[in-house]
Amino acid sequence: MPKTYDIAVIPGDGTGPEVVREGIKVLETAGEIFGFQLKFSHYQWGGEHYRATGEILPEGALDTLSKADAIYLGAIGDPDVKPGILEKGILLTIRFHLDQYVNLRPVKLYEGVATPIKDKGPADIDFVVVRENTEGLYAGAGGFLKRGTADEVAVQESINTRKGVERCVRFAFEYCRRRDREKKLTLCGKTNVLTYAFDLWERTFYEVAREYPDIQVDYAHVDAICMWMVKNPEWFDVIVTDNMFGDIITDLAAMIQGGMGIAAGGNINPDGVSMFEHIGGSAPKYTGKNMINPIAAICAGQIMLETLGERKAAAAIEQAVAKVLRDDIADVGAGRMGLTTEQVGDRVVSCLRQ
Ligand code: IPM
Ligand code: MN
């Protein structure tokens, strides 16, 4: 019997379903070639379901997801729903409930993909951001006092626990060792201003570092990281940071690797159920046009297979993607690829079969 993985699929809003369809095509091909099966169960949660029923996630949804081997997510976000409702009610709820405490975001410039950074190429842009994914400013701690009055107070607290910080930092050290490139881990923080939160991060980082003498450690403030990422992206191998900083720097990082058509990541619980998604949003204006680039969603599938332990299949998908980006796609932007969404998926599938 071939190994079978139960994958919960949430195609979501906008162009989510289109790119997920291509991702599934590629994943199924990889399964055929490398001898495993994927059983996909689709869940139609997102803006449309919410607008039709008033329900964000049905009862039992989280329970259902917690029984899958992994979750493959399209995109959440609907222009007709107030910002925050679906993002918090679906995306963040799943991340928190399944304790997906690392948001792993590889940043790699492939050959044939244009970067806005002058004089930098694929040899210079190849690093991974490990973003803490369950705490910090995202924890939802805070509140209002005297809301709507002239004396209003709004507090939003950054929650950093020793356990939460340490497990994220440990993951980053382990990942850096396994990645086995420059073996350099940079902590991205703001120790000069956030003197409580990043004091804890810094102490934890250097304590854990003692167990990893093979890893070179470095520190940079988040603002400086933004500067270096543009000026000298080749300095980075693995970066570890908190939830909010990780959110911000990975959008910058996505742009230097060629944009939202390429950027993918995983919400990882190393001992539980992880969820894989492309970083670009639901791109409502391209919905149903067969114009959006599915490569990011395909790469999310690749990270999923790697996390499930199907390393060979994941590596083959990466090679196929690299070849299609180099040889077939004119420009990674939606509508400028010289190919349709579906044709890009087909090209990756045929490269995989070669
Ligand atoms: C991301 C997104 C989410 C985040 C939003 C949609 C809540 O920007 O995955 O980076 O802030 O984490
Ligand atoms: Mn973001």
Side-chain angles (χ1 to χ4, degrees):
M1 272 290 280
K3 182 142 200 194
T4 302
Y5 298 99
D6 277 310
I7 310 295
V9 183
I10 308 173
D13 303 317
T15 51
E18 295 166 57
V19 295
V20 155
R21 200 176 306 132
E22 300 313 309
I24 288 178
K25 224 155 74 178
V26 171
L27 287 165
E28 278 178 334
T29 309
E32 257 174 58
I33 299 170
F34 291 93
F36 58 88
Q37 266 175 19
L38 298 152
K39 203 174 126 257
F40 295 101
S41 308
H42 283 69
Y43 301 98
Q44 307 301 335
W45 304 325
E48 216 174 280
H49 180 78
Y50 174 69
R51 282 188 281 106
T53 63
E55 176 184 79
I56 302 174
L57 280 179
E59 221 185 287
L62 294 168
D63 215 39
T64 305
L65 293 177
S66 71
K67 293 189 182 101
D69 290 311
I71 304 164
Y72 188 48
L73 175 69
I76 296 295
D78 183 321
D80 297 326
V81 177
K82 189 172 164 239
I85 293 183
L86 300 171
E87 292 86 341
K88 274 182 110 166
I90 300 180
L91 191 62
L92 298 185
T93 298
I94 297 173
R95 286 179 184 170
F96 289 5
H97 185 86
L98 297 180
D99 208 18
Q100 295 163 341
Y101 65 81
V102 162
N103 195 319
L104 188 71
R105 299 191 162 175
V107 180
K108 185 167 178 175
L109 178 66
Y110 287 97
E111 243 182 272
V113 177
T115 174
I117 310 290
K118 192 165 144 258
D119 300 333
K120 298 292 177 189
D124 305 303
I125 299 173
D126 186 355
F127 59 91
V128 177
V129 178
V130 174
R131 162 186 173 189
E132 201 292 321
N133 211 31
T134 53
E135 301 194 340
L137 283 166
Y138 280 68
F144 294 111
L145 276 177
K146 302 181 185 175
R147 187 167 185 272
T149 73
D151 298 320
E152 175 159 0
V153 180
V155 178
Q156 192 95 43
E157 289 162 320
S158 174
I159 305 295
N160 299 265
T161 67
R162 171 71 201 207
K163 274 189 198 159
V165 171
E166 186 171 331
R167 65 184 182 174
C168 175
V169 162
R170 274 189 191 282
F171 182 97
F173 274 102
E174 286 293 329
Y175 187 88
C176 189
R177 181 179 271 172
R178 211 168 351 109
R179 177 171 149 89
D180 198 18
R181 291 181 67 91
E182 285 161 62
K183 294 234 188 131
K184 179 178 168 192
L185 180 62
T186 305
L187 172 64
C188 164
K190 190 73 186 172
T191 52
N192 52 350
V193 176
L194 305 182
T195 50
Y196 309 121
F198 278 96
D199 188 83
L200 173 59
W201 273 86
E202 196 180 34
R203 271 183 288 122
T204 308
F205 182 70
Y206 287 110
E207 266 175 51
V208 174
R210 283 192 230 125
E211 296 169 41
Y212 295 87
D214 53 321
I215 309 282
Q216 187 198 334
V217 285
D218 193 12
Y219 171 83
H221 295 320
V222 61
D223 46 352
I225 288 253
C226 292
M227 177 178 79
W228 298 127
M229 220 179 249
V230 171
K231 194 169 175 290
N232 295 97
E234 69 278 6
W235 286 0
F236 300 114
D237 177 18
V238 179
I239 298 173
V240 64
T241 191
D242 84 349
N243 210 338
M244 187 80 259
F245 291 163
D247 177 49
I248 298 167
I249 67 170
T250 52
D251 264 31
L252 174 59
M255 289 330 275
I256 73 169
Q257 75 179 132
M260 291 304 180
I262 300 263
N267 302 276
I268 311 249
N269 176 345
D271 312 306
V273 183
S274 301
M275 173 168 69
F276 301 85
E277 54 176 327
H278 64 97
I279 297 179
S282 53
K285 73 173 180 185
Y286 293 111
T287 304
K289 297 209 165 109
N290 208 7
M291 278 162 87
I292 195 86
N293 190 343
I295 291 286
I298 293 169
C299 290
Q302 172 222 320
I303 302 170
M304 178 167 83
L305 290 188
E306 198 175 309
T307 310
L308 288 169
E310 296 294 343
R311 299 242 158 91
K312 279 190 191 152
I317 293 178
E318 189 185 355
Q319 267 179 28
V321 162
K323 189 162 183 301
V324 170
L325 286 169
R326 192 188 61 214
D327 299 339
D328 299 326
I329 295 187
D331 181 310
V332 293
R336 296 194 301 267
M337 299 187 291
L339 295 170
T340 64
T341 306
E342 204 182 338
Q343 284 170 335
V344 172
D346 290 341
R347 296 280 169 107
V348 176
V349 164
S350 67
C351 282
L352 207 46
R353 289 200 189 282
Q354 273 162 28

